[in-house]
Amino acid sequence: MTDHALTPHANRPPLRPGSLTDLVELVPYLLGFHPRDSLVLVALRGPHRRVGVTMRVDLPEARRCAGLPAVLAGHVRRDGATEALALVYAGVGVDGDPPAGLPDPPLVRAVASGLADAGLTLVDALYVGAGRWWSYACDRTGCCPPEGRALPAADGRTSPAVATATYAGLVALPDRRALEQTLERSNPVSDQAVARAEADLATATGAAGAGGTGSGADRDGRQRWRRQVLGEIAGAVDEHIAAARAGLPEEWVARFLVALRDEEVRDECCDWVEGDRGERALALWRHLAARATSPYDVTPLALVAWSAWHTGAGPLARIAVDRVLARDPGCRLAILLDQALERGINPATVRGRPRGRRRQTRRHPPPGWNRPGP
């Protein structure tokens, strides 16, 4: 199990940890959850050591995969970094001091050697557990005492690093399972609502149907329907309706889920990844994915993966991709993202939809939506 989490884009401030403690505190916010029984490698860019690509691997997998150090080094180089920090996280339920001699020194040496072979530097390696960290490279009691260095969170304090991450909109869930649960089915849309949405589509598009075949008039009807529903989805994104406590009404959910099965509608939605709109779109896709039933859950999950990858939420993208491929192994968007995540491709090099040209979507309010007054 490997997670990649890229540095968030320009709508968030850059993360510049001032110390190793800051970096240890930031890692859960980069991943979106507190890692356990994991190897984490954080790329550090430039003279100010800005946080770059962050990778997490289950410790059992890291121990048995001889080629892992070279793979990690390749990801660091592609990210434009020359240095990295390694962190070994204790497993669940590990309390107190670490055993005599820090665990997994052969793994740490292998990572350092893999980076060196690629012309990169491992600035330090840390063991993290029980609210403390220890350095593999330093045994000077003045800066690295035998009892380890305490993390502010262990004493109930909020460090400036965590405050910066929180201000940037990053969160750290208790574990990876908690992140997975954010995509679990909740308040699913009824079959009756979906059937009504499908009937509305058939009425609006005539004989063209989902494949877009039929007479010219039928195809024109489908294009009008696409423009209308895309405007409604754009309105829901821009109004950030998915963030409302009650969520979206069932009829909207059904209409949007049916619409997203149209490839042109889906591809247009792939454009919405920039800035605040990208964050709001991701919130809508997550809401739809949680309320969808099969087979209508495939596209919103694919859009979750696409938007999460673009906004720097690599582990969420990995979870969503795995779910899509389990449901539809032939989904092209999920296959593309699976390869991008495995190769550590920076989403900054890929903008907008995976294919085709962009176009401007005219926004319409969703059916029955009245914008609240000031």
Side-chain angles (χ1 to χ4, degrees):
M1 182 75 67
T2 304
D3 292 309
H4 302 276
L6 295 170
T7 304
H9 296 310
N11 59 312
R12 290 173 176 167
L15 299 176
R16 301 186 184 93
S19 66
L20 286 175
T21 297
D22 285 348
L23 255 175
V24 175
E25 291 250 287
L26 283 175
V27 164
Y29 292 87
L30 296 170
L31 294 172
F33 62 92
H34 288 271
R36 300 286 186 272
D37 202 24
S38 301
L39 168 69
V40 174
L41 193 70
V42 182
L44 302 174
R45 300 171 176 163
H48 299 292
R49 289 180 171 171
R50 294 186 180 183
V51 173
V53 63
T54 302
M55 296 153 281
R56 188 204 68 88
V57 186
D58 288 340
L59 266 181
E61 179 182 342
R63 290 167 182 147
R64 66 174 177 262
C65 183
L68 179 66
V71 172
L72 297 177
H75 291 334
V76 172
R77 290 195 67 178
R78 280 190 292 274
D79 195 47
T82 57
E83 298 178 316
L85 174 74
L87 303 98
V88 176
Y89 281 85
V92 177
V94 176
D95 296 315
D97 293 341
L102 298 178
D104 291 297
L107 175 60
V108 171
R109 288 194 295 269
V111 171
S113 178
L115 291 172
D117 290 344
L120 307 171
T121 301
L122 185 68
V123 296
D124 208 335
L126 310 179
Y127 177 80
V128 184
R132 294 176 175 272
W133 64 265
W134 292 259
S135 171
Y136 285 86
C138 177
D139 58 4
R140 298 190 300 273
T141 57
C143 63
C144 298
E147 67 274 14
R149 304 280 280 186
L151 296 170
D155 299 328
R157 294 180 287 122
T158 299
S159 69
V162 169
T164 298
T166 303
Y167 177 75
L170 303 177
V171 297
L173 297 176
D175 52 34
R176 196 177 191 273
R177 175 59 185 155
L179 185 62
E180 293 173 356
Q181 288 174 338
T182 63
L183 294 179
E184 296 291 344
R185 188 167 295 164
S186 175
N187 189 22
V189 65
S190 69
D191 293 340
Q192 293 81 1
V194 173
R196 288 193 295 270
E198 291 281 14
D200 290 344
L201 168 60
T203 300
T205 60
T213 60
S215 69
D218 293 334
R219 289 192 294 272
D220 289 344
R222 186 164 189 86
Q223 285 302 111
R224 286 193 298 272
W225 169 82
R226 282 174 177 145
R227 289 193 295 270
Q228 177 65 32
V229 75
L230 271 168
E232 293 167 2
I233 298 173
V237 167
D238 291 338
E239 296 290 352
H240 207 5
I241 302 172
R245 180 173 297 180
L248 273 66
E250 183 175 67
E251 296 302 318
W252 297 8
V253 173
R255 180 171 170 83
F256 292 172
L257 289 175
V258 168
L260 288 174
R261 298 192 75 192
D262 181 281
E263 286 193 4
E264 288 194 26
V265 173
R266 182 206 66 187
D267 288 352
E268 182 78 10
C269 292
C270 283
D271 282 348
W272 305 340
V273 293
E274 303 288 348
D276 291 340
R277 198 183 199 201
E279 300 282 356
R280 293 193 297 269
L282 176 56
L284 178 59
W285 312 144
R286 293 177 77 164
H287 184 80
L288 293 176
R291 297 187 64 182
T293 55
S294 180
Y296 298 91
D297 54 349
V298 169
T299 303
L301 280 170
L303 287 171
V304 166
W306 178 255
S307 295
W309 180 56
H310 273 276
T311 57
L316 179 62
R318 166 50 62 196
I319 292 167
V321 163
D322 289 346
R323 293 192 179 192
V324 173
L325 293 177
R327 291 160 170 78
D328 181 7
C331 177
R332 288 174 293 176
L333 180 55
I335 292 170
L336 169 70
L337 286 169
D338 182 52
Q339 295 171 350
L341 289 167
E342 285 300 315
R343 297 173 185 175
I345 296 174
N346 191 323
T349 63
V350 182
R351 291 297 188 186
R353 69 182 65 184
R355 69 176 191 276
R357 298 176 59 189
R358 295 190 186 190
R359 64 185 178 191
Q360 188 67 31
T361 299
R362 180 175 296 178
R363 178 187 147 198
H364 303 289
W369 168 253
N370 291 314
R371 182 184 177 92

